[in-house]
Amino acid sequence: MEEIYDVAIIGAGPAGLNAAIYARRHGLKTLVLSNETGGEVAEAGEIENYLGYKSINGVDLAKKFEDHAKKFNPDMEFEYVKKIEKDGENFKIIGESKTYISKSVIIATGRIHRRLEIPGENEFVGHGVSYCVTCDAPFFQNKVVAVVGGGNTAVTSAKLLSKIAKKVYLIHRRDQFRADEIEVENVKQLSNVEFVLNSVVTEVKGDKVVKSIIVKNKNSEVKELSVDGVFINIGEIANSTFLNNMVTLNGRGEIIVNELCETNELGIYAAGDVTNKRDKQIITAAAQGAIAAISAYEYLSKNKRI
């Protein structure tokens, strides 16, 4: 007989893992599906704004989240979810390797890195092109790298890389940064960081690994910079494309939820950075995970399905 879960949680970042804790505490048969654990928390450097920790490394905090969730024994599967479909009163979650059935679903898939969509970018991912400085910075000891972007992530990435790399180019398409002014001023003081403003990267070049990038400024002047690595930090988009109109999204691809984390589809909830919540913070994602799990429990209880 096919196993039926009370709730299937898609995503294992702070929203998904906290949802798993609350679902299990309410006695729900719980499944967590994700192709990674920790979400973006695991990519963060030092975190200083999560309650209870004056400072903690993102990898360490993600591990604490995972260990806490596992204490409550949800079923956890390493799975990339391709689609969700209605299956009578239940939902069918179609993964790459298996299909799962659940009475309710919590979507906590977070956000994914925005790409430049330029020649050479996809070809050199993992061979000089990266979207995660804390993951890959150690590979560029005493090398020359470029950081592309103008927000806090890009600026703090340049600061971190300045301690490891020989030289860092910080490339931004405008002449002003969106990052916090204090962070920009800190990076301006670093002797091995060069700002390349009013410019865009149009191509990544190399053979087996990255060798250079082509940069064009607002006057259409083109130059080639020799680099060993390119860190692309130009923002993120909601990881919701697999939903295929199952729930309503806003213009940014975020799942629209109410204060109970309910979507327009009865039995489907969403939590964390994939939703239209204003603040994309670890603590607000975790809070939404708890709300979504409680809402799922109340829905199943009210409809006498548990």
Side-chain angles (χ1 to χ4, degrees):
M1 184 175 177
E2 193 167 30
E3 191 167 25
I4 299 177
Y5 289 91
D6 294 323
V7 60
I9 300 164
I10 305 173
L17 293 175
N18 206 35
I21 290 169
Y22 274 77
R24 290 295 298 133
R25 283 176 61 86
H26 281 76
L28 300 182
K29 185 173 179 57
T30 304
L31 171 67
V32 180
L33 298 169
S34 182
N35 60 343
E36 62 178 5
T37 302
E40 288 184 81
V41 177
E43 298 182 3
E46 288 301 308
I47 294 168
E48 298 179 338
N49 61 348
Y50 191 79
L51 187 65
Y53 296 96
K54 293 179 181 178
S55 179
I56 185 169
N57 183 272
V59 172
D60 294 335
L61 184 58
K63 185 66 167 62
K64 288 180 181 296
F65 288 164
E66 180 182 3
D67 290 344
H68 192 175
K70 283 182 175 178
K71 173 189 172 184
F72 292 92
N73 295 314
D75 286 355
M76 301 183 73
E77 297 284 347
F78 188 82
E79 182 75 87
Y80 177 79
V81 174
K82 298 164 63 177
K83 191 191 297 187
I84 302 172
E85 295 178 349
K86 283 285 288 181
D87 184 37
E89 285 188 295
N90 300 321
F91 297 96
K92 187 182 294 184
I93 300 105
I94 301 167
E96 281 195 328
S97 63
K98 190 177 173 182
T99 295
Y100 308 84
I101 303 295
S102 183
K103 301 171 188 175
S104 65
V105 178
I106 297 174
I107 303 164
T109 45
R111 303 175 78 77
I112 54 177
H113 299 292
R114 192 183 297 277
R115 294 178 175 246
L116 289 171
E117 306 293 349
I118 58 173
E121 179 180 8
N122 291 339
E123 179 184 351
F124 292 108
V125 169
H127 300 279
V129 170
S130 173
Y131 302 87
C132 176
V133 165
T134 54
C135 308
D136 297 329
F139 296 115
F140 296 91
Q141 186 80 37
N142 297 319
K143 295 187 176 182
V144 178
V145 297
V147 176
V148 183
N152 279 323
T153 301
V155 171
T156 56
S157 292
K159 182 168 69 172
L160 188 153
L161 284 162
S162 72
K163 301 173 184 177
I164 297 169
K166 179 170 62 178
K167 183 179 179 65
V168 180
Y169 293 104
L170 180 53
I171 303 167
H172 183 40
R173 60 196 175 103
R174 298 192 176 96
D175 61 356
Q176 297 291 324
F177 290 92
R178 292 177 287 106
D180 296 339
E181 186 60 32
I182 189 170
E183 294 292 351
V184 176
E185 288 304 315
N186 286 338
V187 173
K188 283 181 178 178
Q189 308 307 313
L190 301 173
S191 60
N192 63 336
V193 177
E194 180 180 333
F195 286 19
V196 183
L197 302 180
N198 292 312
S199 300
V200 296
V201 178
T202 60
E203 185 178 357
V204 180
K205 300 177 72 174
D207 40 48
K208 293 182 179 178
V209 296
V210 169
K211 296 294 185 183
S212 66
I213 53 176
I214 304 299
V215 178
K216 182 169 73 172
N217 67 18
K218 66 177 182 179
N219 298 319
S220 296
E221 297 168 337
V222 176
K223 62 182 176 181
E224 185 168 358
L225 299 176
S226 295
V227 298
D228 301 292
V230 186
F231 290 86
I232 300 169
N233 295 154
I234 56 170
E236 298 160 320
I237 55 175
N239 187 12
S240 61
T241 54
F242 68 97
L243 294 171
N244 293 321
N245 301 315
M246 175 62 73
V247 296
T248 301
L249 310 178
N250 65 16
R252 295 183 297 277
E254 299 166 334
I255 301 171
I256 297 173
V257 295
N258 61 16
E259 68 276 6
L260 299 178
C261 292
E262 297 169 327
T263 69
N264 65 299
E265 178 67 40
L266 194 64
I268 296 185
Y269 305 85
D273 288 1
V274 74
T275 73
N276 61 329
K277 73 181 175 74
R278 185 190 66 179
D279 301 307
K280 311 299 186 187
Q281 299 291 318
I282 300 168
I283 200 161
T284 56
Q288 275 198 319
I291 293 167
I294 294 168
S295 292
Y297 168 77
E298 291 178 344
Y299 158 73
L300 294 170
S301 182
K302 179 181 176 182
N303 288 279
K304 297 182 170 52
R305 303 203 63 205
I306 50 174

